[in-house]
Every structure is written in structure tokens, then in C-alpha cells.
């Protein structure tokens, strides 16, 4: 196996790593790596911070392990390699009447990454997390590959386990049959946070998501655009992809006044009466993927994303968070609000019933203090932060946010006593440290 020296980052481009990467093309190469010297696997590095980094060590880049292996038209069970991108599955199987049951906000995420972070989507309140629809997978360990299913304790440690149980090879996932290969999307303006939460609580649509104007204050606090989506038949032009940002944007591009004006225009692009559109599947599920490297819009210093979930009874903490963010002048145009159901598949899975709020912040000097305060508010409310996005949580917060952490760490350490699969995230938050 050929190893190449590389400098690489997470999607936020804030945390960076230097080390050796290998790009195996066959499962047999995973077995050789496992035997010679196990190390963590990483996918498309769409985790925002340090969950996909191994500074000073080796890592397996799964980009070439991206094949479709089998599909059962009767049952909807798809078998793929772990490096397969979710967007490729949508492109190939959407026209055939099937979708992955859960899709995150980017099609560049791999199946292996979706398992490692137990991703959620716009339909979590109905169907739960990605890991709940994984039937089986193969892990490549030093003593040979092992196929695990839902009744295996290793399965619960792997789903949401951030790659700490070993590289994933083949995966069997349960697909969902859809009504057609386009999306019927209803968009409406929402004047404030209470109205937003009311719509999230009462909507019966299969897919729901809200864009929030994080710069709004006063009576407009929490205003935004609410989207409901259903699959259906129709004809639309193919989704356009492939645009690129030619350079890192200058710092002033996301200054407070520019973001406020952009958000105001974006809000008003929806007529007061609302509207219904027909969109390609990719445009609804992966709106930001139209621009492949949109993270460059935040400039050379990169950006952070704060994402939390708080219990349904803690609506006021969302108001307090948005009040702080709106007054800070630090928000970017990207802020998302969704409702989550109770579903989760793993011991360290992020999803839990409540409201989830995600906000991007350019990596400015004042951003860490703001984000740490939002994390503390989440902790005090009995919520948790998403470790796929986190950059500034503290290790002492982890056991409150993730009550099964110690049991998970004990299990994983028994499997990997030398911490060969550990990443920068594991070390920063002491996630595998036992009391």
C-alpha cells in the first residue's frame, strides 16, 4: 500500500492536520492495512472540525472504495462500499424510484461517514437517523474482516462511533421507495420564532426544514423560510452542479452589514402568500452542493458551525441563543432549524428528540467565545452538540451530553487498546478516556 504525505483539513478549514494518507481501491487493501498497522478511515472530510483528522499519524482515505455492489429491487436493500457518496446514490437510484431513507445536507458525505456520525436529515421526526436504516456492515480488523448486524453490541458502538471501531468496507442499507423522482416543495415566510416552532410541531409533511435569519432581532427574532417537501412525479431540468469559488473570499465579504442585507433579501425572495415549486431531488436535499467548494466563501481562516439539539420543553433557550447571535454581528447567512424525533442508532449518536439549531460563524477572533457560550447554554438546557461540527466543546461537558460515553469508551478501548483508530477529535475531548 502506497502512503503519501498530505496536509489536509476538515470542511471548516480551521483545524488542520499533517500526516500520511492511503487511498485503497479494494477491500483486500483494507485488510492489508489492518494487518500491517491499523489506523482511522476518513471519507470526503465533510465533518467540519477535527473529527476527520489524525495529526502526525496515518489515515485511510476511502474515496476509491465507492462501488455499488448489489441492489435488491424487491426489498430495496442496497449494498455499497463505504466510500460511496450519498449524492451518487440519489443520482443513480432516484430515477429508479428509490432513495436512502435518511439524507444529510450534503451529497458529498460518504456512507461510511454517515454511519460514523449517524447523520440525520429533514425527515428525522418521522424516520430517525441514518444508522437506524443500516442492516449490516463489514469492519476490517487486524484479525480479519467481521460482518456485524443490529443485534451485535459492536453495531451500536460503530453507529455514531466516529470511526473508532475500525474501517468500514461493505454496507447494506435499507432504501425507501419514493412517489417520483422530483420534489414538490412548499416555501413560506415565517415572521418569528414562535411561528416557526409551531409549524415544525404541526407539519405533517415528510420533509421539513427551516432557514433562519440569524441577524434578525426584536419582533423579527427567528424569522425565516419554512420548507415542506414530498417526492412526486414530474419533469424538471437536471440539477446543475459543479460551480466553484475561484479564490478565498476577503474578510469583508461576510461583514455584519453585508450579511444583514443579504438575509433580508433572501427572506423577501419568497412571496408573502408563499409558493410551491418542483425541484430536482439534489436541489432539495443538497442545496449547497451547487457550489462544490463553498467553504472558501468564509476566507482563508475558515469557519465554524455550531449545532445543538435541545429538548422540546426548552424552546426559550433557542430564543436566548438567537438573541445573542443577532446582537453579536457574527452570524453568516447559513442558519438552519429543524425538529428531531426520538430516533438514534448508536451509543454516541447525536440525534435525540428536540429542536436542532445550526449556525455558521466565520472564524473571527470573537467567534470562539460566542460558540463556547452557546455550547454552555446547550449543556445547561440538557441538550447536546453535534461532534461532527464541534470545534470548542470541553471534555467535562461530554458525559452530560452523551450519557453512554464512558460505557462506549470502555467497549471501544477493549477493541482498540492501543488507540490506533483515535483522531484529533478523540484526543481534544478525551472521548476515549475512562474515569
Amino acid at each position: 500500500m502506497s502512503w503519501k504525505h498530505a496536509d489536509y483539513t476538515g470542511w471548516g478549514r480551521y483545524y488542520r492536520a499533517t500526516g500520511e494518507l492511503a487511498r485503497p481501491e479494494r477491500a483486500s487493501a483494507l485488510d492489508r492495512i489492518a494487518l500491517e498497522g491499523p489506523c482511522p478511515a476518513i471519507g470526503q472530510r465533510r465533518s467540519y472540525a477535527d473529527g476527520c483528522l489524525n495529526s502526525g499519524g496515518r489515515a485511510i482515505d476511502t474515496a476509491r472504495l465507492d462501488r455499488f455492489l448489489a441492489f435488491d429491487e424487491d426489498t430495496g436493500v442496497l449494498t455499497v462500499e463505504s466510500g460511496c457518496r450519498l449524492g451518487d446514490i440519489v443520482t443513480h437510484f432516484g430515477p429508479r424510484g428509490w432513495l436512502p431513507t435518511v439524507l444529510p445536507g450534503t451529497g458529498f458525505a460518504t456512507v461510511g461517514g454517515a454511519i460514523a456520525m449517524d447523520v440525520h436529515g429533514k425527515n428525522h421526526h418521522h424516520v430517525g437517523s441514518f444508522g437506524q436504516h443500516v442492516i449490516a456492515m463489514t469492519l476490517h480488523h487486524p484479525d480479519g474482516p467481521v460482518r456485524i448486524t443490529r443485534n451485535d453490541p459492536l453495531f451500536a458502538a460503530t453507529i455514531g462511533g466516529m470511526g473508532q471501531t475500525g474501517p468500514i468496507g461493505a454496507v447494506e442499507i435499507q432504501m425507501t421507495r419514493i412517489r417520483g423522482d422530483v420534489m414538490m416543495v412548499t416555501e413560506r415566510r415565517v415572521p418569528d420564532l414562535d411561528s416557526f416552532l409551531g409549524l415544525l410541531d404541526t407539519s405533517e409533511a415528510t420533509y421539513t426544514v427551516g432557514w433562519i435569519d440569524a441577524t434578525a432581532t426584536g419582533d423579527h427574532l427567528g424569522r425565516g423560510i419554512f420548507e415542506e417537501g414530498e417526492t412526486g412525479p414530474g419533469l424538471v431540468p437536471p440539477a446543475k452542479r459543479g460551480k466553484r469559488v475561484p479564490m478565498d473570499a476577503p474578510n469583508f465579504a461576510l461583514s455584519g452589514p453585508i450579511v444583514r442585507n443579504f438575509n433580508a433579501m433572501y427572506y423577501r425572495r419568497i412571496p408573502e402568500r408563499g409558493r410551491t415549486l418542483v425541484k430536482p431531488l439534489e436541489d432539495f436535499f443538497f442545496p449547497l452542493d451547487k457550489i462544490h467548494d463553498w467553504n472558501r466563501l468564509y476566507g482563508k481562516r475558515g469557519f465554524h458551525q455550531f449545532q445543538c439539539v435541545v429538548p422540546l420543553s426548552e424552546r426559550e433557550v433557542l430564543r436566548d441563543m438567537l438573541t445573542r447571535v443577532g446582537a453579536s454581528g457574527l452570524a453568516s447567512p447559513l442558519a438552519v432549524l429543524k425538529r428531531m424525533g426520538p430516533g438514534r442508532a448508536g451509543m454516541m449518536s447525536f440525534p435525540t428528540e428536540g429542536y436542532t439549531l445550526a449556525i455558521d460563524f466565520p472564524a473571527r477572533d470573537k467567534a470562539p467565545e460566542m460558540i463556547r457560550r452557546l455550547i454552555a447554554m446547550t449543556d445547561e438546557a440538557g441538550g447536546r452538540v453535534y461532534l461532527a461540527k464541534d470545534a470548542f466543546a470541553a471534555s467535562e461537558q461530554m458525559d452530560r451530553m452523551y450519557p453512554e460515553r464512558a460505557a462506549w469508551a470502555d467497549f471501544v478501548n477493549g477493541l482498540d487498546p492501543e488507540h490506533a483508530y483515535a483522531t484529533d477529535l478523540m484526543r481534544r475531548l478525551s472521548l476515549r478516556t475512562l474515569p
Side-chain angles (χ1 to χ4, degrees), residues 218-431:
D219 293 340
H220 302 299
L221 184 77
R223 74 176 180 180
I225 298 168
F226 183 64
E227 292 188 6
E228 296 174 297
E230 301 287 351
T231 59
L235 294 174
V236 294
K240 295 181 179 180
R241 293 291 187 268
K243 293 181 180 179
R244 293 188 177 277
V245 179
M247 65 185 73
D248 294 324
N251 290 337
F252 67 80
L254 289 176
S255 65
I258 289 177
V259 172
R260 283 194 296 273
N261 288 333
F262 174 87
N263 282 7
M265 290 188 293
Y266 190 80
Y267 175 73
R268 293 189 179 93
R269 73 184 178 88
I270 305 298
E272 289 188 17
R273 65 183 181 278
R275 66 184 183 185
T276 298
L277 306 172
V278 180
K279 295 184 177 183
L281 295 170
E282 293 91 342
D283 282 2
F284 178 73
F285 289 109
F286 317 129
L288 293 176
D289 287 357
K290 293 178 182 179
I291 304 174
H292 284 184
D293 47 3
W294 60 263
N295 55 351
R296 298 189 71 181
L297 294 171
Y298 289 95
K300 292 182 179 180
R301 298 179 65 181
F303 74 105
H304 315 293
Q305 186 177 103
F306 163 78
Q307 183 171 3
C308 70
V309 59
V310 298
L312 298 176
S313 60
E314 295 291 339
R315 296 164 63 125
E316 287 306 306
V317 74
L318 298 175
R319 188 183 312 278
D320 293 343
M321 288 178 179
L322 289 172
T323 298
R324 284 181 177 272
V325 173
S328 72
L330 292 171
S332 79
L334 186 57
V336 174
L337 181 67
K338 291 182 287 193
R339 176 163 174 166
M340 304 182 81
R344 60 197 298 261
M347 301 170 75
M348 289 292 289
S349 294
F350 166 73
T352 187
E353 189 166 24
Y355 302 110
T356 180
L357 175 67
I359 305 176
D360 280 2
F361 296 93
R364 299 187 182 127
D365 292 342
K366 294 183 179 180
E369 180 182 357
M370 165 62 70
I371 296 171
R372 288 189 180 100
R373 181 56 196 146
L374 297 177
I375 293 170
M377 295 168 72
T378 301
D379 188 11
E380 293 163 6
R384 60 177 60 137
V385 295
Y386 194 11
L387 297 180
K389 311 287 183 69
D390 173 68
F392 299 113
S395 58
E396 60 267 21
Q397 295 168 320
M398 291 298 100
D399 284 340
R400 293 189 295 271
M401 293 184 177
Y402 290 89
E404 293 182 84
R405 186 209 65 84
W408 172 82
D410 187 46
F411 184 93
V412 170
N413 289 344
L415 177 73
D416 175 33
E418 301 300 321
H419 289 213
Y421 303 134
T423 59
D424 291 1
L425 173 67
M426 294 296 115
R427 292 182 282 269
R428 175 171 62 87
L429 292 178
S430 303
L431 290 172

Side-chain angles (χ1 to χ4, degrees), residues 29-241:
L30 284 181
D31 290 332
R32 288 196 298 273
I33 293 173
L35 186 62
E36 295 169 4
C39 60
I42 58 177
Q44 293 287 322
R45 299 196 297 276
R46 289 289 165 142
S47 293
Y48 282 51
D50 54 355
C52 54
L53 308 180
N54 187 26
S55 299
R58 287 182 163 183
I60 301 165
D61 182 336
T62 64
R64 293 175 178 168
L65 295 167
D66 61 351
R67 298 169 185 82
F68 300 140
L69 301 177
F71 181 62
D72 189 321
E73 289 277 1
D74 294 326
T75 64
V77 175
L78 173 67
T79 305
V80 296
E81 292 181 316
S82 63
C84 184
R85 299 187 303 189
L86 295 175
D88 292 338
I89 298 176
V90 171
T91 299
H92 283 81
F93 288 91
R96 296 170 64 174
W98 296 91
L99 284 180
T101 306
V102 173
L103 289 165
T106 174
F108 288 104
T110 63
V111 170
I115 291 170
M117 297 301 178
D118 196 15
V119 299
H120 55 280
K122 299 177 178 69
N123 58 347
H124 185 273
H125 53 304
H126 292 310
V127 301
S129 64
F130 187 90
Q132 291 176 268
H133 306 278
V134 174
I135 296 171
M137 66 187 110
T138 299
L139 299 176
H140 291 261
H141 290 160
D143 55 355
V146 56
R147 182 178 182 271
I148 58 173
T149 59
R150 295 175 186 171
N151 60 357
D152 191 319
L154 183 54
F155 192 89
T158 300
I159 301 290
M162 296 161 284
Q164 298 306 291
T165 60
I168 302 171
V171 181
E172 299 167 38
I173 61 173
Q174 179 63 58
M175 303 275 275
T176 292
R177 193 181 292 276
I178 56 177
R179 301 185 184 98
D181 61 349
V182 301
M183 293 299 303
M184 314 296 293
V185 184
T186 299
E187 302 174 325
R188 69 183 87 173
R189 290 189 200 175
V190 184
D192 53 49
L193 182 62
D194 285 336
S195 301
F196 230 128
L197 297 178
L199 288 170
L200 287 170
D201 289 344
T202 59
S203 175
E204 297 181 358
T206 300
Y207 301 98
T208 60
V209 65
W211 170 82
I212 293 283
D213 178 1
T215 68
T217 58
D219 293 340
H220 302 299
L221 184 77
R223 74 176 180 180
I225 298 168
F226 183 64
E227 292 188 6
E228 296 174 297
E230 301 287 351
T231 59
L235 294 174
V236 294
K240 295 181 179 180
R241 293 291 187 268

